[in-house]
Amino acid sequence: MKELAEACRANDVTDLIVVHEHRGTPDALIVSHFPHGPTVYFTLNNVALRHDIGTYQNTTVSEQYPHLIFDNFTSKLGDRVRDVLKYLFPVPKEDSKRVMTFANEDDFVSFRYKFDSFYLIYLTNQLV
């Protein structure tokens, strides 16, 4: 891991994301911002991979940048975690129909992904 971080710094990489898995199931996520941090570690639970969901098996992945919704990231730590996640994604175009929601409840962050024009109505006052 140390060599990987040094290679990222040497090549002006801004973020390193490492997904740890056990027997093919993701169970941890490390996000490190370069050159001076922060680095955050997330434990993953109840992960549903795209290829495991029957309705998505024969579809393609959208390349639109998502609108982001952050719910209940109100503490100083919540602000920090929100910023780490927010800066992983480029700014979306106004007409993007892709929405990602990160909801914090009792220090458990739930993630939802939607691709639907219905959610754009909700975005009006929720965008970060």
Side-chain angles (χ1 to χ4, degrees):
M1 186 70 148
K2 185 176 181 178
E3 294 87 12
L4 189 56
E6 289 172 2
C8 289
R9 283 189 199 95
N11 291 296
D12 295 326
V13 172
T14 59
D15 293 285
L16 172 66
I17 301 172
V18 177
V19 179
H20 184 266
E21 57 89 21
H22 181 72
R23 297 184 181 172
T25 302
D27 61 3
L29 179 74
I30 301 170
V31 179
S32 186
H33 184 72
F34 291 102
H36 303 294
T39 297
V40 293
Y41 178 89
F42 296 99
T43 300
L44 303 176
N45 295 308
N46 301 324
V47 176
L49 300 176
R50 186 175 182 274
H51 66 268
D52 293 335
I53 301 172
T55 57
Y56 292 109
Q57 285 182 348
N58 297 322
T59 61
T60 58
V61 176
S62 171
E63 293 186 15
Q64 286 183 329
Y65 299 143
H67 291 282
L68 303 175
I69 298 173
F70 292 92
D71 183 35
N72 203 22
F73 287 82
T74 54
S75 67
K76 285 185 178 182
L77 179 60
D79 288 342
R80 185 74 169 231
V81 171
R82 183 196 64 222
D83 288 345
V84 167
L85 295 171
K86 177 171 66 174
Y87 293 122
L88 291 176
F89 299 92
V91 176
K93 293 183 179 178
E94 295 261 340
D95 63 344
S96 175
K97 294 181 181 179
R98 206 171 156 198
V99 178
M100 291 187 176
T101 302
F102 297 90
N104 179 18
E105 186 175 331
D106 298 328
D107 292 334
F108 289 92
V109 178
S110 299
F111 166 77
R112 298 285 186 264
Y113 165 78
K114 300 287 184 187
F115 188 84
D116 195 355
S117 59
F118 173 77
Y119 289 95
L120 291 180
I121 297 167
Y122 179 69
L123 286 174
T124 308
N125 295 320
Q126 299 294 322
L127 288 179
V128 176

